[in-house]
Amino acid sequence: MHMLKKIGFYIVAKFVPLLVIMLTTYFFSRWLTPSQYGQYSLVISIASGLSIIAFQWINVTLGRLIPKSSADVKIKIINSGLILYFISSILVLFLCFIFGEFIEDNFKTSSYLIALLAVALGGFELSQRIFNSEERVLAFGIFQGIRGVVFFSFALCFYYTEYIYPGVVYALIASYILLSTPNIYKLLFLRKKDFIPNSIKEIAVFGFPLILTYVLLYVLNSSSKILLTVMLDETYTGYFSLGSDTVQMIIISVMGVVQLAIYPIVIGAYNKNDEDRYNIFSKSNQWVLLILLPVTAGFIGISKGLFYFLLPEEAYLRVIPIVPFLIIANLFVQLKSLIFDYAFHISKKNGKQFLPVFCGAFTSVALNVMLIDGYGLEGSAFSYCIGCFVYMTMSYLIGRKIFKYPSIDVGFLFKVTVSSLLMLLIVIQIPNDSIFQFVISIVVGALSYIALITTMFYPQLKKYINSNN
């Protein structure tokens, strides 16, 4: 019940940002041509890659160190992370602006945009990590909602000028900076006694080995977009991005609720004995499967109605065939992140994540090169999906060698899978020709899944209720 309360609380915090994401997709798919959206997506993709190299190692290490620290030490570790972020930001801006002086004028603006966006994105993700680790999720949800409104408002201003692109990128940078202002304020007033020099070293030692792993993860996630641009053109990248960005943001938002709810519980298991840790992870994995599988099935069921509402007709016809591949690919990534990742963190062998992500990235790139010419968008989406499957599978195989995973109850998995598939069959029977029908399909899907899963687990539920009376 404690888990249900946490999930309900986080749903409220995530709802407004999710609504803003869908509204942004609705308007941007109409304001920007597919080619412009492709350029916009590529700038974001490259900036994300640069942000991963410069800042992700700080974020991941803070996520590992903060929960296990006392209140006083926690504040000093956060301040140490802010100092490292500031140093990395200066280096990123300096290198990108120097690089911009040696390239053609046509690409200088993009170079500067990428540098600013990478730093702003790094600050945003650092803020998110700090808010989540302190369990101030509602506050962060409000901030995210404000950020979305600022982003949309700035973009709307540029819409009425001839600078809709790169205006939307400027709007995105401004919105990320807004969410980073609490950390910028902290940085301005830091003193020597406010941080621990050794913690800076600890963050660097733990985080630096992860940089190459995250670069390869970026290759896995972005290879389809980049290769579509190189082998075809930016129009195809725009269509692919409209599908992948929307799917990824919705699934991350929904499953982020689950991750936020189980994160403190799982982190607390790090310092438990083997038996207690095993039980905690076993329950955590069941919660993930209980929510992730129906979310995936339900998303596939309502995807035609959702994308028909979000996208103009031409874009809808090009995007909808690749959506199931993209949804299933994100299922594999979420399974890896929410179940198999903890083996590497607990064993403190993060460097071993290199091989799974290398195999996934290599598979995605190789298949994209082979399939894009003949199959276009569908070939690229399929390549990405298989790359994610390889990534998840290799993470499981290597993770089980360094940490004893709780075995997944086959009977439990069977019941959840059957309930999810039956719910999918029910949902796809409902027409999605209007907003009303679309909402009805979501409500019917949720209620049917609850009824099915309750029926499947009726003996266990009855036993649980009787034991509490």
Side-chain angles (χ1 to χ4, degrees), residues 14-89:
K14 287 284 188 177
F15 176 74
V16 173
L18 180 59
L19 182 61
V20 171
I21 288 167
M22 288 195 277
L23 286 174
T24 301
T25 302
Y26 176 85
F27 286 104
F28 278 24
S29 64
R30 288 159 174 79
W31 291 353
L32 301 173
T33 65
S35 178
Q36 286 176 324
Y37 196 91
Q39 294 175 44
Y40 166 72
S41 181
L42 274 178
V43 166
I44 294 176
S45 181
I46 296 170
S48 298
L50 184 56
S51 179
I52 284 170
I53 295 170
F55 307 113
Q56 189 67 15
W57 57 277
I58 303 174
N59 296 333
V60 171
T61 309
L62 288 181
R64 178 68 179 90
L65 296 178
I66 291 173
K68 69 176 186 178
S69 305
S70 63
D72 292 341
V73 175
K74 184 184 295 186
I75 293 172
K76 292 182 178 181
I77 289 174
I78 290 172
N79 292 338
S80 300
L82 291 174
I83 291 170
L84 288 172
Y85 166 74
F86 176 75
I87 295 170
S88 295
S89 297

Side-chain angles (χ1 to χ4, degrees), residues 35-194:
S35 178
Q36 286 176 324
Y37 196 91
Q39 294 175 44
Y40 166 72
S41 181
L42 274 178
V43 166
I44 294 176
S45 181
I46 296 170
S48 298
L50 184 56
S51 179
I52 284 170
I53 295 170
F55 307 113
Q56 189 67 15
W57 57 277
I58 303 174
N59 296 333
V60 171
T61 309
L62 288 181
R64 178 68 179 90
L65 296 178
I66 291 173
K68 69 176 186 178
S69 305
S70 63
D72 292 341
V73 175
K74 184 184 295 186
I75 293 172
K76 292 182 178 181
I77 289 174
I78 290 172
N79 292 338
S80 300
L82 291 174
I83 291 170
L84 288 172
Y85 166 74
F86 176 75
I87 295 170
S88 295
S89 297
I90 297 298
L91 288 173
V92 167
L93 293 172
F94 176 76
L95 292 174
C96 284
F97 278 85
I98 290 295
F99 176 74
E101 294 300 314
F102 293 96
I103 59 177
E104 297 179 16
D105 290 340
N106 293 340
F107 298 102
K108 278 187 178 182
T109 301
S110 293
S111 173
Y112 301 152
L113 279 176
I114 288 167
L116 290 171
L117 183 56
V119 170
L121 179 59
F124 162 73
E125 291 183 342
L126 182 60
S127 295
Q128 185 174 24
R129 178 68 67 177
I130 293 171
F131 271 99
N132 290 349
S133 65
E134 296 174 343
E135 296 195 58
R136 292 189 292 152
V137 184
L138 186 58
F140 188 78
I142 294 170
F143 257 101
Q144 279 245 53
I146 296 171
R147 182 194 73 82
V149 172
V150 170
F151 174 42
F152 187 78
S153 301
F154 273 54
L156 182 61
C157 294
F158 283 108
Y159 174 68
Y160 291 104
T161 72
E162 59 186 76
Y163 301 106
I164 181 62
Y165 177 84
V168 290
V169 182
Y170 291 129
L172 189 62
I173 292 170
S175 68
Y176 281 145
I177 290 174
L178 173 69
L179 207 61
S180 303
T181 48
N183 290 333
I184 295 171
Y185 180 81
K186 287 180 183 178
L187 268 173
L188 293 175
F189 295 96
L190 275 185
R191 295 168 295 179
K192 186 175 181 180
K193 67 176 184 178
D194 294 329

Side-chain angles (χ1 to χ4, degrees), residues 140-295:
F140 188 78
I142 294 170
F143 257 101
Q144 279 245 53
I146 296 171
R147 182 194 73 82
V149 172
V150 170
F151 174 42
F152 187 78
S153 301
F154 273 54
L156 182 61
C157 294
F158 283 108
Y159 174 68
Y160 291 104
T161 72
E162 59 186 76
Y163 301 106
I164 181 62
Y165 177 84
V168 290
V169 182
Y170 291 129
L172 189 62
I173 292 170
S175 68
Y176 281 145
I177 290 174
L178 173 69
L179 207 61
S180 303
T181 48
N183 290 333
I184 295 171
Y185 180 81
K186 287 180 183 178
L187 268 173
L188 293 175
F189 295 96
L190 275 185
R191 295 168 295 179
K192 186 175 181 180
K193 67 176 184 178
D194 294 329
F195 65 93
I196 308 171
N198 285 342
S199 66
I200 295 179
K201 179 181 177 182
E202 189 175 2
I203 293 171
V205 169
F206 185 89
F208 268 133
L210 297 173
I211 292 178
L212 184 57
T213 299
Y214 280 105
V215 169
L216 287 170
L217 187 58
Y218 164 75
V219 173
L220 171 62
N221 290 326
S222 301
S223 57
S224 293
K225 296 178 183 178
I226 294 170
L227 289 171
L228 279 169
T229 302
V230 172
M231 299 177 69
L232 298 176
D233 63 52
E234 289 170 340
T235 302
Y236 287 87
T237 307
Y239 287 133
F240 186 91
S241 299
L242 282 169
S244 65
D245 294 352
T246 306
V247 167
Q248 191 174 50
M249 287 300 101
I250 290 175
I251 289 184
I252 286 176
S253 295
V254 175
M255 293 312 300
V257 172
V258 181
Q259 185 172 27
L260 289 170
I262 68 173
Y263 182 76
I265 298 169
V266 170
I267 290 295
Y270 283 22
N271 300 319
K272 302 285 186 180
N273 59 50
D274 289 344
E275 184 178 353
D276 288 343
R277 184 188 296 166
Y278 186 92
N279 291 332
I280 290 172
F281 277 106
S282 181
K283 290 179 181 178
S284 168
N285 294 347
Q286 287 184 347
W287 274 105
V288 170
L289 293 172
L290 199 61
I291 297 173
L292 180 57
L293 293 183
V295 164

